[in-house]
């Protein structure tokens, strides 16, 4: 035995291999114990190899590391080694030691495991953070009682800060399954980091949906745990703002409705983001319901709601409702002049109920709103993108883009006189010192674009209203007439100019002389402020975009479909949809989303499969570009209805378009509804061909989400 051991030692063959026992790397260098005769032997005590070893541990703060000597079993040695490595923040050494211990003895003590996860969480290295996440799921599988909740909280925020939204969402979902969540201030931080990327925003929104479902489930049972998992307005605002940022409007609509169901009060931030979500979905009626309350906010909040009015104004234009757009602009001037009285201010402190869907619905969702509530410790920084109206120096300012939409709209409908009246009103309400008047800017733009009749009509309207325009624009119009050889119109304008006292020396008989004089006069005035307006650029852009824009009738029909679906009047909704098809009006993503939502609310999943056929036909003809939101809704409904072939088909479309698939959410939905479906059935045992195919698709789905 002594000779055998000596040979092993001299050939440097690992003792662990020679003994036929697997011993990991951390204890492979176990010292052999020498007796008085100089022979090496190994003692076995209580079924373990007892060792005496001298192990060197170095610390970054010590130039000459000391020696640590201990006696005891390898279990104790490894635990001591792991403890020291963790205490000294030697992550690499701690991980190797942990792996060695795990292979021999299983998991160490709970405190040691949680300390290891905690140390890994402090790292900024994605490698170690992923290791920590993997370790958590290994523990959950083998010994879940070891995990401590604060460690999961720490890991989730570390993963989110490192822009690792997928594992961060997994840890959050683990906590949610245990019906426990981090303090709201920490959850704010986790979500705020997640929503910085599109995938993170997708995961954060899906997690919020699951969080609301959990809260509603616990509330229905009367569980005291419901309060622990209830989200607040800040979480909703962070996710909804991300939905706006990444154009996830359908998911945003779903979350707005969940906010209502969860009984969370919408603050000023919420209302503004709601308006942006409704704008993207073309839901003008929903914004108008909020407007009644926003109009009554105190003077300090008017500037804050500029974005709200901007979104509503855009929808008026999308609906081709020029009168409503004009009225909104005039109303906005009144808001800055009126200050609510004391009684009204007290009323604003109350919670207001705003219906979602239709005011006529007896039963429906209502969301609690406080338009003058702002969170003092808000971490949300909403980036406003006012494109039509701005608020500066206590006044609303009309942007040239909005003015271009108005001019083009009135021109398209042949309502120049109404435009003139509006320009006169806006001249007083929106005038900015040092800037040319709206009337002058519009007339100048019309002349330069060749809309001479429209320019002439506005000049006449201004004169009739007692607000005459100076000679510069008259001369510019006269020049344009002569350049286009419109001598009859030029002659009429000359008579008007003489009557007004402009250019009395020109003779209308000599057209060539008059034209030369007009061109000379126009050149002298080329540097005037009105000629420098960029309204022309916006008008040209507006006419180009108008050709590509969705027809206003689509928004009207979608609004009807939305109302019918919320009222569960699916026959009327389908009639409206078929009318769109009959008139060859192209449906939008919102059209299909509303119909799917209506069918889903009634459990009519087969009808959704029929609608899926229409969606694919529209996609095939390149008339429809389906969003990830719509694919997600389709997939979830196919799972709920048990249409696994359709579910896998949707997954295929998402893969082709490189869209992120939230497998956790799909897996969770499947396990809730079909946990044991075909779990033990073999293909050979299928009774029919249909069952055989369904079994194949179920197994394919289970494999895809990682159930099997």
């Amino acid at each position: 035995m002594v000779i055998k051991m000596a040979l092993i030692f001299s050939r440097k063959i690992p003792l662990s291999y020679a003994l036929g026992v697997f011993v990991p790397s951390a204890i492979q260098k176990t010292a052999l114990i020498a007796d008085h005769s100089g022979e090496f032997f190994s003692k076995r005590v209580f079924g373990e190899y007892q060792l005496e070893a001298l192990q060197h541990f170095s610390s970054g703060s010590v130039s000459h590391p000391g020696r640590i000597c201990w006696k005891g079993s390898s279990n104790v040695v490894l635990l001591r080694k792991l403890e020291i490595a963790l205490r000294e923040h030697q992550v690499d050494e701690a991980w190797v030691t942990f792996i060695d211990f795990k292979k021999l003895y299983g998991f160490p003590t709970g405190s040691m495991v949680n300390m290891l996860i905690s140390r890994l969480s402090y790292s900024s290295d994605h490698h170690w953070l992923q290791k920590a996440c993997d370790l958590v799921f290994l523990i959950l599988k083998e010994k879940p009682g070891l995990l401590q909740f604060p460690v999961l909280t720490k890991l989730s925020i570390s993963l989110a800060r490192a822009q690792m939204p997928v594992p961060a969402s997994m840890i959050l979902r683990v906590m949610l399954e245990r019906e426990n969540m981090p303090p709201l201030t920490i959850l704010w931080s986790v979500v705020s980091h997640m929503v910085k990327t599109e995938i993170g925003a997708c995961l954060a929104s899906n997690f919020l949906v699951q969080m609301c479902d959990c809260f509603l489930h616990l509330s229905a049972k009367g569980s005291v745990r419901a309060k622990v998992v209830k989200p607040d307005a800040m979480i909703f605002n962070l996710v909804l703002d991300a939905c706006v940022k990444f154009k996830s409007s359908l998911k945003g609509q779903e979350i707005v409705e969940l906010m209502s169901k969860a009984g969370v009060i919408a603050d000023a931030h919420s209302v503004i983001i709601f308006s942006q979500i409704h704008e993207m979905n073309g839901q003008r009626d929903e914004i108008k319901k909020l407007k009644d309350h926003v109009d009554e906010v105190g003077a300090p909040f008017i500037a804050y709601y500029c974005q709200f009015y901007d979104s509503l104004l855009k929808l008026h234009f999308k609906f081709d409702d020029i009168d409503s757009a004009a009225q909104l602009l005039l109303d906005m001037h009144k808001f800055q002049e009126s200050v609510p009285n004391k009684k009204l201010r007290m009323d604003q402190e109350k919670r207001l109920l705003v219906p979602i869907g239709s005011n006529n619905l007896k039963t429906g969702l209502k969301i609690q709103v406080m338009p003058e509530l702002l969170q003092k410790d808000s971490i949300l920084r909403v980036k406003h993108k006012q494109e039509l109206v701005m608020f500066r120096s206590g006044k609303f300012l009309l942007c040239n883009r909005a003015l271009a939409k108005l001019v083009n709209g009135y021109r398209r409908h042949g309502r120049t006189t109404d435009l003139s009246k509006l320009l006169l009103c806006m001249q007083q309400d929106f005038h900015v010192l040092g800037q040319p008047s709206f009337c002058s800017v519009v007339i100048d733009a019309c002349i330069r674009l060749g809309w001479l009749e429209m320019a002439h009509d506005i000049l006449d309207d201004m004169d009739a209203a007692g607000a005459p325009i100076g000679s510069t624009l008259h001369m510019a119009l006269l020049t344009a007439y002569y350049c286009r050889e419109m001598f009859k119109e030029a002659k009429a304008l000359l008579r008007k100019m003489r009557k007004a006292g402009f250019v009395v020396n020109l003779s209308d008989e000599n057209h060539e002389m008059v034209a030369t004089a007009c061109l000379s006069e126009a050149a002298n005035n080329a540097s005037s402020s009105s000629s420098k307006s960029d309204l022309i650029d916006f008008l040209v852009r507006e006419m180009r975009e108008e050709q590509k824009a969705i027809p206003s009738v689509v928004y009207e029909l979608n609004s009807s479909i939305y109302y019918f679906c919320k009222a569960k009047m699916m026959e009327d909704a389908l009639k409206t949809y078929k009318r769109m098809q009959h008139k060859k009006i192209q449906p939008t993503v919102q059209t299909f989303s509303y119909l799917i939502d209506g069918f889903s609310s009634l459990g009519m999943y087969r009808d959704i499969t029929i609608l899926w056929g229409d969606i694919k036909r529209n996609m095939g003809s390149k008339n429809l570009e389906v969003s990830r939101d719509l694919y997600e809704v389709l997939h979830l409904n196919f799972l709920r209805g048990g249409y696994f072939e359709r579910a896998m088909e949707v997954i295929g479309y998402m893969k082709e378009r490189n869209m992120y698939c939230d497998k956790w959410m799909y897996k969770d939905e499947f396990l809730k509804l079909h946990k044991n479906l075909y779990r033990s059935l073999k293909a050979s045992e299928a009774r029919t061909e249909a069952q055989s195919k369904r079994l194949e698709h179920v197994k394919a789905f289970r494999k895809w989400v990682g159930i099997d």
Side-chain angles (χ1 to χ4, degrees):
M1 177 65 180
V2 173
I3 296 173
K4 185 177 181 181
M5 292 299 296
L7 287 172
I8 292 172
F9 188 74
S10 64
R11 294 177 184 175
K12 300 183 179 179
I13 298 175
L15 178 63
S16 57
Y17 293 159
L19 296 175
V21 179
F22 174 76
V23 184
S25 58
I27 61 170
Q28 284 182 357
K29 298 180 181 180
T30 303
L32 296 175
I33 305 172
D35 66 359
H36 295 289
S37 62
E39 295 179 339
F40 293 92
F41 64 94
S42 177
K43 292 183 180 179
R44 188 176 183 88
V45 181
F46 302 123
E48 296 180 354
Y49 287 99
Q50 181 181 1
L51 60 86
E52 294 180 0
L54 294 176
Q55 181 70 38
H56 296 274
F57 288 89
S58 61
S59 173
S61 60
V62 181
S63 57
H64 299 286
R67 290 192 171 188
I68 301 174
C69 180
W70 60 72
K71 292 183 179 181
S73 67
S74 59
N75 185 319
V76 175
V77 171
L78 288 175
L79 281 177
R80 289 283 304 278
K81 185 177 180 180
L82 177 59
E83 181 182 358
I84 293 172
L86 291 173
R87 190 168 61 236
E88 299 296 332
H89 300 279
Q90 297 175 355
V91 181
D92 296 60
E93 183 72 19
W95 181 257
V96 171
T97 307
F98 167 75
I99 294 299
D100 290 341
F101 189 96
K102 173 72 170 61
K103 288 179 179 178
L104 279 176
Y105 309 110
F107 288 106
T109 60
S111 60
M112 199 70 70
V113 168
N114 286 280
M115 188 185 300
L116 174 60
I117 298 173
S118 181
R119 288 289 183 265
L120 294 174
S121 300
Y122 283 128
S123 175
S124 58
D125 190 330
H126 284 210
H127 170 76
W128 290 119
L129 290 173
Q130 186 61 56
K131 289 282 189 185
C133 187
D134 294 341
L135 178 56
V136 166
F137 282 93
L138 180 63
I139 296 170
L140 286 171
K141 182 179 180 180
E142 297 185 10
K143 206 170 183 180
L146 290 178
L147 284 175
Q148 295 175 357
F149 186 76
V151 171
L152 296 179
T153 300
K154 187 182 299 181
L155 178 57
S156 67
I157 194 169
S158 296
L159 290 165
R161 284 173 177 167
Q163 285 304 295
M164 300 172 68
V166 176
S169 67
M170 293 168 68
I171 298 300
L172 286 179
R173 283 161 162 166
V174 166
M175 290 189 278
L176 184 61
E177 285 179 353
R178 295 184 165 202
E179 298 178 357
N180 207 340
M181 292 304 299
L184 285 174
T185 52
I186 295 178
L187 191 57
W188 296 350
S189 182
V190 175
V191 173
S192 67
H193 286 291
M194 289 180 64
V195 298
K196 291 178 181 178
T197 64
E198 186 171 1
I199 291 178
C202 169
L203 289 166
S205 59
N206 287 342
F207 170 72
L208 179 56
V209 171
Q210 291 176 300
M211 192 175 177
C212 290
D213 288 344
C214 181
F215 166 72
L216 294 172
H217 174 70
L218 293 174
S219 296
K221 294 196 307 181
S223 172
V224 295
R225 305 296 301 169
K227 293 182 179 179
V228 180
V229 299
K230 182 178 181 179
D232 67 348
M234 181 63 69
I235 303 297
F236 277 100
N237 289 345
L238 287 167
V239 173
L240 285 171
D241 184 61
C243 289
V244 173
K245 179 181 177 181
F246 296 108
K247 304 186 186 314
S248 187
S249 61
L250 301 182
K251 177 63 70 173
Q253 178 65 30
E254 179 186 2
I255 291 173
V256 170
E257 294 178 7
L258 280 173
M259 192 172 185
S260 168
K261 293 177 182 178
V264 177
I265 301 173
D267 59 14
H269 277 305
S270 309
V271 174
I272 293 171
I273 303 173
F274 290 173
S275 69
Q276 294 173 299
I277 296 287
H278 294 321
E279 178 201 330
M280 289 192 291
N281 286 325
Q283 297 169 333
R284 183 172 63 155
D285 290 339
E286 297 304 304
I287 301 186
K288 288 167 74 173
K289 295 173 196 172
L290 293 166
K291 179 181 180 294
D292 295 337
H293 304 294
V294 172
D295 287 350
E296 298 176 347
V297 300
F301 286 85
I302 294 175
Y304 190 79
Y305 279 103
C306 187
Q307 176 68 63
F308 176 87
Y309 293 115
D310 192 89
S311 293
L312 179 55
L313 186 58
K314 287 177 185 174
L315 281 180
H316 285 324
F317 286 123
K318 286 182 179 180
F319 277 77
D320 196 24
D321 190 349
I322 305 301
D323 290 334
S324 293
Q327 188 59 51
L328 177 60
L329 289 170
L330 297 177
D331 289 345
M332 288 168 67
H333 173 68
K334 299 175 183 178
F335 301 156
Q336 60 198 40
E337 293 180 339
S338 62
V339 178
N341 57 38
K342 185 176 181 180
K343 181 179 182 300
L344 183 59
R345 293 284 297 164
M346 291 177 63
D347 290 342
Q348 283 296 308
E349 297 176 2
K350 297 180 180 178
R351 301 178 185 179
L352 305 170
L353 289 177
V354 179
I356 298 175
S358 172
N359 290 320
N360 297 325
L361 295 178
K362 294 182 180 179
T363 59
L365 295 176
K366 290 181 175 62
I367 192 164
Q368 300 179 69
V369 175
M370 294 184 69
E372 292 193 357
L373 174 64
L374 280 175
Q375 307 293 338
K376 294 181 180 179
D377 53 352
S378 175
I379 62 173
L380 177 65
R381 297 293 179 266
V382 179
K383 293 182 179 179
H384 296 165
K385 291 180 61 179
Q386 294 99 348
E387 299 175 358
L388 305 184
V389 180
M390 296 184 295
F391 192 89
R392 291 179 183 171
S393 303
K395 293 184 177 181
F396 282 107
L397 304 180
L398 187 66
C399 299
N400 271 331
R401 183 177 179 184
L403 185 57
K405 287 181 176 292
L406 283 170
V407 172
N408 189 55
Y410 278 115
R411 174 179 172 271
R412 189 173 59 252
H413 290 284
R415 298 173 55 189
T416 305
T417 300
D418 292 330
L419 173 61
S420 299
K421 293 177 181 178
L422 178 63
L423 290 173
L424 284 169
C425 293
M426 292 197 318
Q427 185 61 40
Q428 178 183 358
D429 295 345
F430 292 88
H431 179 65
V432 181
L433 294 176
Q435 297 293 327
S437 69
F438 283 122
C439 300
S440 299
V441 170
V442 171
I443 294 171
D444 176 73
C446 290
I447 294 171
R448 291 174 179 273
L449 289 171
W451 304 342
L452 305 187
E453 183 180 356
M454 185 175 182
H456 202 149
D457 289 344
I458 296 175
L459 280 172
D460 289 344
D461 291 336
M462 295 299 112
D463 290 340
I469 303 298
S471 62
T472 301
L473 289 175
H474 283 80
M475 188 61 71
L477 179 58
L478 187 61
T479 302
Y481 278 146
Y482 277 109
C483 288
R484 289 165 175 76
E485 297 184 355
M486 299 172 67
F487 301 123
K488 181 180 178 181
E489 290 81 359
K491 186 176 181 179
L493 182 60
L494 265 176
R495 286 197 298 268
K496 178 181 177 182
M497 291 172 68
R498 288 197 190 96
K499 186 176 180 180
F502 306 144
V503 201
V504 293
N505 296 325
L506 291 178
S507 171
D508 57 355
E509 298 299 329
N510 191 335
H511 297 306
E512 185 176 351
M513 183 185 300
V514 174
T516 302
C518 290
L519 289 170
S520 176
E521 182 70 18
N524 293 333
N525 294 321
S527 60
S528 65
S529 59
S530 61
S531 66
K532 294 180 180 179
S533 168
D534 62 349
L535 176 61
I536 299 171
D537 295 333
F538 280 102
L539 278 167
V540 172
R541 187 186 308 173
E542 183 63 27
M543 288 185 289
R544 288 174 180 170
E545 292 178 353
E546 190 178 41
Q547 298 174 354
K548 303 176 184 178
I550 298 173
S552 59
V553 65
V554 175
Y555 292 103
E556 295 285 356
L557 292 171
N558 276 352
S559 295
S560 298
I561 291 173
Y562 175 72
Y563 166 77
F564 289 135
C565 290
K566 286 299 178 186
K568 294 181 172 54
M569 301 165 62
M570 294 310 297
E571 289 186 8
D572 294 283
L574 283 174
K575 286 180 182 177
T576 307
Y577 172 61
K578 290 177 181 177
R579 190 159 68 247
M580 292 179 75
Q581 293 176 312
H582 179 70
K583 293 183 177 181
K584 296 184 178 180
I585 298 173
Q586 178 59 42
T588 64
V589 166
Q590 282 73 25
T591 311
F592 292 116
S593 172
Y594 300 152
L595 289 169
I596 292 170
D597 182 63
F599 286 135
S600 180
S601 65
L602 296 172
M604 301 169 66
Y605 300 112
R606 184 175 180 278
D607 294 84
I608 298 177
T609 65
I610 298 172
L611 201 61
W612 171 232
D614 288 353
I615 293 173
K616 287 189 291 184
R617 280 189 289 274
N618 280 276
M619 290 166 57
S621 60
K622 307 297 182 183
N623 292 323
L624 182 70
E625 186 175 348
V626 178
S627 65
R628 188 192 67 241
D629 287 358
L630 188 60
Y631 280 127
E632 194 173 89
V633 169
L634 283 164
H635 190 261
L636 286 172
N637 277 284
F638 289 150
L639 283 182
R640 291 163 188 162
Y643 293 95
F644 294 97
E645 183 177 2
R646 301 284 83 81
M648 295 305 296
E649 190 178 3
V650 172
I651 291 170
Y653 275 95
M654 295 182 75
K655 286 181 178 179
E656 287 177 9
R657 289 153 180 77
N658 294 319
M659 293 179 176
Y660 177 76
C661 296
D662 187 0
K663 292 185 180 181
W664 185 297
M665 180 180 66
Y666 301 139
K667 177 180 178 180
D668 185 63
E669 192 71 19
F670 177 86
L671 292 176
K672 283 193 297 185
L673 301 171
H674 312 289
K675 184 176 182 179
N676 296 315
L677 181 64
Y678 296 157
R679 190 170 186 178
S680 58
L681 182 67
K682 297 179 181 179
S684 59
E685 298 173 345
R687 292 190 297 272
T688 64
E689 184 179 352
Q691 187 182 46
S692 178
K693 288 184 177 180
R694 189 164 188 255
L695 172 62
E696 179 184 344
H697 295 303
V698 170
K699 289 186 176 298
F701 177 82
R702 293 175 68 95
K703 181 179 179 181
W704 180 71
V705 295
I707 295 177
D708 296 329

